[in-house]
Amino acid sequence: MVRIEAIIRPAKLDEVKTALDEAGVHGMSVLDIRGAGKQKGYTQHYRGSEYTVNLLPKLMLIVVVPDASQELVISAIADAAHTGEIGDGKIFVTPISEAVRIRTGERGETAA
Amino acid sequence: MVRLSTYYLSAILALAIGAFTLFSPALAQTPAPSATSATVPSAAPAAATPAAAPAAAPADRPNKPSDVNDGDNAWMLTSCALVLLMTIPGLALFYTGLVRSKNVLSVMMQSFIASGLITVQWFFFGYSLAFGHDAVSSTTSPLHGFIGNLDYAFLQHVSSFSPEGTQKLSYGNTVPHMVYCMFQLMFAIITPALISGAIVERMKFSAYCVFMLLWATFIYDPLAHMVWSHDGWLNAHGALDFAGGSVVHMSSGFSALTLALILGRRKRSDGGEELRPHNLPFTLVGVALLWVGWFGFNSGSAINAGQLATSAWANTHIATATAAVVWLLWDWFIYKKPTALGFGSGAVAGLVAITPACGFVTPVGSVLIGTIVASVCFFAIRLKNLVKADDALDVFGVHGIGGLTGCLCTGLFSVLYINSAAGRNGLLFGGPFAKTMVPQLMDAGMTIIMAVVGTVILAAITKLICGGLRTDDEEEEMGLDLTDHGESGYLLEGAGTGMSPA
């Protein structure tokens, strides 16, 4: 099993969800996050006081899938979240050693 | 040490209230010593007509003399409520939306506690110091005209049934003295509450309470007496201030800057700390409540429901709308975005500037005043940076400078046919400089001197009483909601709300 974390543009969530659906992945967690990367922040003015916002709002999408689905899921997310501009986001993959479905006690890939 | 001083404070206040309550039967409200109100409550049957002599008045309105106009009184009662609405929740929301979420309750409480404490102060002696007969009765004395005596302490002689004073010299010929007293109380409440915007997120609650009481007693009450009392010093010199531009806004604005300088900046407020407003929707709701409440503030200052009230109402709205639009245009031009906060700030600046002028100018004057004040304040809010003051919510830039602008504009734009009480036209309409601008400049100068010097002295006294003005660094870091009040404004979603799904 692998855990795939994708940091994406908030506006791309619907497209990524649809792509994951088509790839057979129906379960996911989505988190509101803020982060910094190559994309520069922006400047806000509150009554003339200037605030530079470096941490930009992004979404983090987490799915846990069998090893075999890894490449399919990665390309589904990457294609759907792609715009070609700086700030499209990143995908991280980490191995998962165990998964438990709390309701039934199932373990392993069927639980994920 | 710090905590102890808070306990002492509460104990003293509780004892004081208890003691005065014991004495109060002796000081029970007695009718004003004027002829109209001396009538004994009538036991006549309710069939009598209201126009009949007081002795035959309906039993549900004992003592109602013929010179109280119910229409005027209805408007004044409404205005009192509207002006209270400006402070709670108007100002409380306006200010608290602009701070960080860890101080949301602390900032709201600074407005709410003003409504509580100043009311008590007003009852004991505040109203009397401001609107009582002059403490120095000899009109030739140089000390005449600065503060009232204690005739109205505990609101004795403040009648709910008849107007104050004589027909020729009265705070309102057609409304009961008590409604005037309550109306003025609402002004006394909002003025120190306005100062709180400059000292948010770092002043100890105990120090704020002590400072506010001292400020109300030694700065606000004398200023109100000088400008509005029959025998007030500035009143006698012909300064025009219809609804409190200098007494309320300039005094609070300049005191705010002074107190912000004395307190010092918030930690890491030079950058590096996220100081952005946590809830601008709160702020905009606050602006709306201030705007609506201000109709009571300005239009109610006519102390009747007549033509002058109408004029003040219209001027208030027109100047405010103009200032909001002009500020927004400046925003758009300079910062490329028309911000919601800009619109709100412009509206408040317009309200502040039209306050002294609203009963003296035409709608044309209002549009000009709105345009001028928004343009002046838009740039004036940066002045605080020159002196490195952390006037967090721009009380000085908006109320201090806006009030000063309004004060001077009143001298420029006043028109005799709107309000004959002005005595002359404004400078732009042919009034002589010595009679139009000089009194306004004296009014402004006196207000600024009292506000700045008074605040320095009172802050020092407060510091002695409370063992410091500021919270310590760790408390500031944690947020005053938790350290001063033991509460949190917001909880994690679902946690402890009883609303988590089954």
Side-chain angles (χ1 to χ4, degrees):
Chain A
M1 284 173 295
V2 288
R3 165 187 159 111
I4 299 177
E5 280 175 10
I7 294 169
I8 60 168
R9 293 179 188 277
K12 284 288 185 183
L13 179 64
D14 278 348
E15 286 172 60
V16 172
K17 264 169 66 184
T18 311
L20 283 173
D21 232 27
E22 283 163 6
V25 179
H26 306 299
M28 69 188 74
S29 306
V30 179
L31 286 73
D32 273 313
I33 58 162
R34 288 192 297 165
K38 274 190 187 159
Q39 188 182 11
K40 292 284 180 282
Y42 51 90
T43 307
Q44 286 187 332
H45 292 278
Y46 288 90
R47 252 192 215 150
S49 302
E50 197 172 291
Y51 294 97
T52 306
V53 181
N54 288 318
L55 294 173
L56 297 172
K58 295 284 172 190
L59 288 182
M60 179 187 276
L61 193 131
I62 303 173
V63 290
V64 176
V65 296
D67 291 341
S69 313
Q70 178 180 327
E71 287 313 312
L72 176 69
V73 171
I74 288 176
S75 60
I77 296 173
D79 289 347
H82 181 83
T83 69
E85 303 292 320
I86 292 175
D88 272 355
K90 290 191 177 165
I91 297 175
F92 302 107
V93 181
T94 42
I96 293 281
S97 57
E98 183 60 292
V100 179
R101 190 185 297 276
I102 294 176
R103 175 171 55 90
T104 57
E106 282 169 275
R107 288 176 168 247
E109 286 190 359
T110 51
Chain B
M1 169 70 193
V2 173
R3 294 286 167 235
L4 268 183
S5 69
T6 317
Y7 291 133
Y8 285 137
L9 184 70
S10 334
I12 290 167
L13 195 67
L15 277 175
I17 292 175
F20 283 122
T21 311
L22 279 179
F23 286 117
S24 63
L27 297 159
Q29 198 192 87
T30 47
S34 73
T36 45
S37 61
T39 329
V40 178
S42 162
T49 61
D60 62 336
R61 278 188 209 161
N63 261 356
K64 182 185 171 293
S66 55
D67 48 1
V68 166
N69 179 305
D70 286 350
D72 287 344
N73 197 27
W75 170 236
M76 291 315 295
L77 290 166
T78 310
S79 291
C80 289
L82 283 171
V83 183
L84 182 62
L85 194 74
M86 288 170 66
T87 311
I88 51 169
L91 193 67
L93 285 170
F94 178 60
Y95 277 168
T96 209
L98 293 170
V99 299
R100 290 165 289 177
S101 55
K102 63 184 177 183
N103 293 314
V104 58
L105 296 175
S106 147
V107 172
M108 291 191 91
M109 270 306 285
Q110 287 170 347
S111 290
F112 276 85
I113 192 65
S115 313
L117 276 182
I118 299 298
T119 303
V120 176
Q121 185 259 11
W122 202 244
F123 161 76
F124 282 150
F125 51 80
Y127 177 67
S128 198
L129 292 182
F131 293 94
H133 306 294
D134 207 273
V136 180
S137 51
S138 155
T139 49
T140 50
S141 163
L143 294 174
H144 179 81
F146 291 94
I147 196 152
N149 64 15
L150 290 173
D151 277 357
Y152 296 145
F154 316 103
L155 303 191
Q156 56 180 339
H157 307 308
V158 179
S159 170
S160 295
F161 306 113
S162 59
E164 181 267 355
T166 60
Q167 283 285 341
K168 277 187 183 159
L169 195 63
S170 164
Y171 292 133
N173 294 333
T174 58
V175 296
H177 191 181
M178 184 60 86
V179 83
Y180 182 80
C181 170
M182 288 298 113
F183 184 64
Q184 289 296 341
L185 163 61
M186 300 313 166
F187 284 57
I189 287 172
I190 196 169
T191 311
L194 285 170
I195 299 175
S196 73
I199 52 87
V200 291
E201 305 195 296
R202 62 198 189 283
M203 189 167 185
K204 285 197 297 194
F205 184 69
S206 57
Y208 173 76
C209 293
V210 170
F211 178 81
M212 191 178 61
L213 277 175
L214 292 172
W215 194 90
T217 306
F218 295 106
I219 298 183
Y220 183 83
D221 293 343
L223 265 179
H225 187 80
M226 281 186 243
V227 174
W228 286 321
S229 162
H230 306 314
D231 27 22
W233 184 73
L234 287 163
N235 198 348
H237 283 75
L240 299 183
D241 185 351
F242 192 74
S246 52
V247 179
V248 174
H249 297 289
M250 236 192 291
S251 70
S252 59
F254 280 85
S255 293
L257 181 71
T258 313
L259 192 57
L261 279 170
I262 293 171
L263 267 182
R265 304 182 66 90
R266 286 168 292 175
K267 286 180 68 188
R268 299 206 299 274
S269 54
D270 303 310
E273 174 85 354
E274 178 69 84
L275 290 173
R276 278 186 297 164
H278 93 283
N279 193 333
L280 281 186
F282 271 2
T283 299
L284 288 175
V285 172
V287 169
L289 287 166
L290 282 168
W291 192 333
V292 171
W294 225 292
F295 292 127
F297 194 97
N298 282 0
S299 187
S301 288
I303 320 293
N304 60 49
Q307 297 99 320
L308 194 55
T310 312
S311 180
W313 205 107
N315 287 330
T316 301
H317 189 65
I318 291 167
T320 305
T322 310
V325 170
V326 170
W327 189 303
L328 195 75
L329 290 173
W330 277 114
D331 243 1
W332 217 332
F333 181 65
I334 304 268
Y335 299 121
K336 312 299 173 212
K337 300 274 187 195
T339 64
L341 180 57
F343 187 89
S345 308
V348 175
L351 288 162
V352 168
I354 198 62
T355 295
C358 62
F360 299 110
V361 300
T362 60
V364 176
S366 302
V367 169
L368 291 171
I369 289 174
T371 309
I372 292 170
V373 73
S375 308
V376 168
C377 289
F378 181 85
F379 294 99
I381 52 170
R382 297 154 197 227
L383 287 176
K384 63 178 180 179
N385 299 328
L386 292 180
V387 287
K388 299 258 182 290
D390 188 10
D391 173 9
L393 312 183
D394 293 312
V395 185
F396 175 72
V398 175
H399 294 273
I401 298 295
L404 182 59
T405 307
C407 173
L408 299 180
C409 283
T410 308
L412 287 178
F413 297 122
S414 69
V415 178
L416 203 49
Y417 80 79
I418 295 285
N419 189 344
S420 57
R424 54 350 198 214
N425 275 319
L427 187 66
L428 289 186
F429 301 101
F433 188 84
K435 285 199 168 175
T436 54
M437 300 312 284
V438 170
Q440 298 307 106
L441 287 166
M442 274 171 62
D443 183 15
M446 191 69 193
T447 307
I448 293 169
I449 290 169
M450 275 198 68
V452 172
V453 176
T455 299
V456 170
I457 297 169
L458 298 182
I461 296 172
T462 307
K463 198 170 181 176
L464 278 179
I465 296 176
C466 298
L469 298 170
R470 274 186 83 133
T471 56
D472 64 37
D473 287 358
E474 195 182 333
E475 290 172 328
E476 191 179 331
E477 198 70 45
M478 287 177 70
L480 273 53
D481 285 1
L482 207 57
T483 59
D484 256 352
H485 303 284
E487 297 166 294
S488 300
Y490 304 98
L491 297 174
L492 277 176
E493 198 179 328
T497 59
M499 289 173 65
S500 352

